Amino acid sequence: MTAASWYHRDISRVVAEDLLAKAGKDGCFLVRDSESVSGAYALCLLFQRHVHTYRILPDEEGLLSVQTIQGIQAKCFRTLTDLIGAYQQPNNGLVIPLLYPVNRAREPVEEDSDGEDGRASHPPSLVPHSGIIAGSTSGWVTAQPNKAQISQQLQLRLQEQVHSSPASDFMGFMADYLSHHLQLDLEALRNGNLQLRHLSTALVTACRGLHSEIDFTLAGLETLAKVFDPPASPRSPVREQGLLASDPDLELLLSKIATVNHLLSSLEKKVLKTLQETVIKHKLALPSMAAVHPPAAKPMAVQSFEVKVGKTQRASLTVDVESGTMAITKRGCSSPEETISQDKILQLIKYQSMQSKVRLVYDRDQHRSLTRDFIFQNARKREAFCQLLQLMKIQHSNLDEPDLISVYVGTWNMGSAPPPRSMASWLTSRGLGQTQDETTAGIPHDIYVIGTQENSLGDREWVEFLRASLKTLMSIDFRVVALQCLWSIKIVVLVKPEHERRISHVNTSSVKTGIANTLGNKGAVGVSFLFNGTSFGFVNCHLASGSEKTHRRNQNYSDILRSLVLGDRRLSSFDLTLRFTHLFWFGDLNYRLDMEVQDILAHVNKKEFEALLAVDQLTLEREKNKVFLRFSEGDISFPPTYRYERGSRDSYVWQKFKTTGVRINVPSWCDRILWKSHPETHMLCNSYGCTDDIVTSDHSPVFATFEVGVTSQFVPRKVPGSSPESLACIEWDSVEVIVKTASRSKCYIEFHSYCLEESQRSGENSSQSSDIPGFLKLSWSAKQLPVLSPILSDLEYLLDQHLLLSIKGMDSCESYGECCIAMRSMVGSLAQQFETFLFHRGEETGSMRGWMKVRVPKDRRSTRERLYEWISFETDETESDFPTLSKPALRAVRSRPLSLPDAAGSYTNPAYFIFEGVPNTWAQCPRLPEPPYSQASDRQADRYLDHSPCRRLQSLTGAQACSSSKEQLQRSPHYSVPETISCGHQLSPSQIGRHKRPKSAILTRHPQTSGDCSLTALHMAWCLSDVDTEPHKRGSCLDPSQPEGRKNLLRHTRSALEPPPQSCWEGAGSQRDTRRLNRAREKYH
């Protein structure tokens, strides 16, 4: 059955609309798979520059029909070709008949040549995915059942199994049988011959290699059996017929397998009986099982750090994790000047302007706290000191469940060679780049995730090798959480024994992206699980090789993102990158450097990695929003990890001689580790580098370690009450959405969260406009938005929760985009503003912003500070030397509370400025000064919530550690808006500066990329040229007298998003806000 050319299989809605837009004729159409209903289709039809989507649904009998259109009787068809042919006629209920099919592009059959390792072998070719019938081009062939059709149906069934079966070699032989010999067996069966001769021949051919394997195994088992029971172990008759192995048949193979089965089942009993007889005969005492203890973990050694105190004074800091103390000893003194216990340490403050400096805040007595500044030898030593204090806090805390864990992620293309005897440098993060200090390298991590490619070891052999390596290094017997393999691509997850009970809901999956997406030499394996209340996802992939195959690698990424089945099944409609609190993606991504080899080598020798990153394909594709949207990556300060000469790390080998010529493999950072986290979660990358002493492969192993905040299964302190005033609720004032689509469909919002008993949905949008081609603007008021009721009302629980929102069409129920909103910033009695991007199938599809609030009852507002919140960053403005501080004065150095984000008065995404009359180029204007910080903002926060996290220094849960990315500290500037007071927010002075985006958003833009922003630049240019102009006030950024204003005379369009009613902020609070605003105006003017 061949697919018609207008059938595009599983392309996304966005791709379908782009294809129709390029065609540009009314009546253009194509058919794709439905994203909302399995086995259904979506008919996409272009009319008057808008795409209309109709669902094609199968009934119980398999008949297809277009979803019922009002006033039109539904018609049923046996094939999709018949249905499309009927709707090419007028008056069938569509907006226009199907006139011009948009054909899918032919996929070139290209050899997936592996540039890394020429020894990789490929299994026999499999049947084509579509099961093409020669001579059929109009659609699916419907004929009476015959031998050929039976063969084709069986081939399709086999193809479905190929994607989930590891036995692809065997499947190749079976595909050949189904294609060429099945009809001969059918003919023989019709003539009364019950022996399927051709099937037997195919099985014998497929199992030929099994004989030698069984012979080898059988010989070993027989030898071992003789050791324990020589008289009772007769020579197997199979071994006497070993000469027949050169001419195998199924009977001989079955006999061998039966013998192996017998030996395996009886061998354990024989060994046990022999050992028991030996014990009784020699009167040996069996060791008691209770007396056998696993080896204890190595105690933490006391570590010392040389520091500078003040301008000239030297001292030594001694950290004893086991005893929970830190001692300060001046140089030249034999005894410590001061010893501080872990419970007295209040806060660690890292300086940003000086990477080696830290401030320690601790209790001196009951009414007084002291601060001391220390300057370490380098930043690595400072991080090691902070990590040891963090570990000391964790070990001596009274918590039953951890707040903070460490995660190790490693990736290595092993080059089909066995690993070295020791992998200590890889597993302890030592080598080149941002590495662990020697004082902390031996501290075991809570979770180890090891991803490999071109791994020739057996699955069990590899897992046991990793466990033995870690046990040698850490003296801990790590437990296996999951192992997933796809050919030579493997991922192993190991955890400490004490965490085994905290792991649940483990899922594994794999996706093939080799030739025609049927071969597993390229692809991905994934593992997901819950650690208490935090969801984790890990993806290890091996993408297409070759410097020129950037587009194919991008497509591999999209295929993996779409097809990998991980996480909660209830979230299967959401983008894979939104299903987990933390998602790690790593492997041999194979992105190369677009530069001449000699230039690359010159930069590597000078360690000029920035110049190389400027031509790194992955970096460039991420800047274009082609792949890994909103992912983060650590700073690359290590040389390219590919392609080294095996046995050395002194030189790169970039020439590979093949029969077709010389292939150039430029040195590149092929092996990468990236991650993406929900907003306002704690994620900090502590190391990112590669080894320099493991030389068995042409790739160097890469490692990264992370400090990750986790949540526990919350147990409320009070029994939930039944009265409404004791229950929390999530209220929405308004929501505005812009999606990139040519559709005019009405939409609704679907709400998902672990804090909700079940998903909720809104009514259809109250207003919409599509004045700008290629975009649809939707709005919901409070009447259409539901009030959500969390299952628990405690503030401590709600601060860790997130909401997943999906914009879906009323007609097709397909998603136009999904997003994630952190509830931490939304808690309060006043509405908070949020803004975030929309994603779908790895693409950015729009933007959402709105007003919402999370109401928490007064008796449920108690909370506690997390263990990771006591380490903070000191901003440059507050860096000063305070020898002593009284306890109340500690708040003077704290930053603005995270629960009070600044207002975002305009769209953060420059691509959407066109909706408010602002050109996209303004995204590049220089930053304006930030509003000054004052303690009043802290007092204002205390009116809303009286919990300690709102009154702390800007901690790692803030902008610095939301996914731990420097990119997320960059905010796109905005133009001035009319002076209005946004409720619930600290206001920028006189609204003259840019508006900072809400903390709950994940909005980042690279200043250097004025590219497509994943949206059509032609659309924006077209719309900007058609917008009317009108005069503006002198001095504004639209002033015609200004040079920039003369170029961009644009009319402001009024946003449909309205702030909450005036009554929300009237009163004393608004008066204080007004006074602060007036003072700020005087200062800035």
Side-chain angles (χ1 to χ4, degrees), residues 604-675:
V604 170
N605 291 333
K606 297 177 182 178
K607 297 184 179 181
E608 297 173 344
F609 301 136
E610 288 295 330
L612 296 179
L613 287 171
V615 295
D616 173 58
Q617 290 177 350
L618 179 58
T619 302
L620 296 175
E621 295 304 297
R622 289 180 62 201
E623 289 176 353
K624 298 174 186 175
N625 286 344
K626 299 291 185 182
V627 291
F628 294 103
L629 280 144
R630 311 301 153 209
F631 274 78
S632 300
E633 185 180 19
D635 292 333
I636 295 181
S637 56
F638 51 92
T641 56
Y642 171 81
R643 182 177 186 247
Y644 281 105
E645 181 180 5
R646 293 176 188 258
S648 170
R649 283 300 174 264
D650 297 330
S651 60
Y652 292 96
V653 179
W654 64 89
Q655 288 182 323
K656 183 171 184 178
F657 297 93
K658 305 179 69 174
T659 56
T660 56
V662 178
R663 182 185 180 91
I664 302 298
N665 291 311
V666 300
S668 302
W669 285 291
C670 293
D671 313 281
R672 311 287 275 269
I673 299 174
L674 301 97
W675 73 93

Side-chain angles (χ1 to χ4, degrees), residues 106-124:
R106 290 186 178 182
E107 298 178 0
V109 179
E110 53 180 327
E111 178 188 359
D112 189 19
S113 58
D114 194 337
E116 296 88 3
D117 188 2
R119 294 174 291 180
S121 60
H122 302 292

Side-chain angles (χ1 to χ4, degrees), residues 5 79 86 108 275 392 477 512 700 778 873 880 882 897 947 965 1013:
S5 58
T79 68
L275 292 178
M392 184 170 66
D477 190 10
K512 299 174 182 177
S700 287
L778 309 166
F873 285 97
S880 57
F882 296 108
H947 59 91
S965 173
C1013 297

Side-chain angles (χ1 to χ4, degrees), residues 113-137:
S113 58
D114 194 337
E116 296 88 3
D117 188 2
R119 294 174 291 180
S121 60
H122 302 292
S125 299
L126 303 179
V127 294
H129 182 68
S130 57
I132 297 176
I133 300 176
S136 175
T137 58

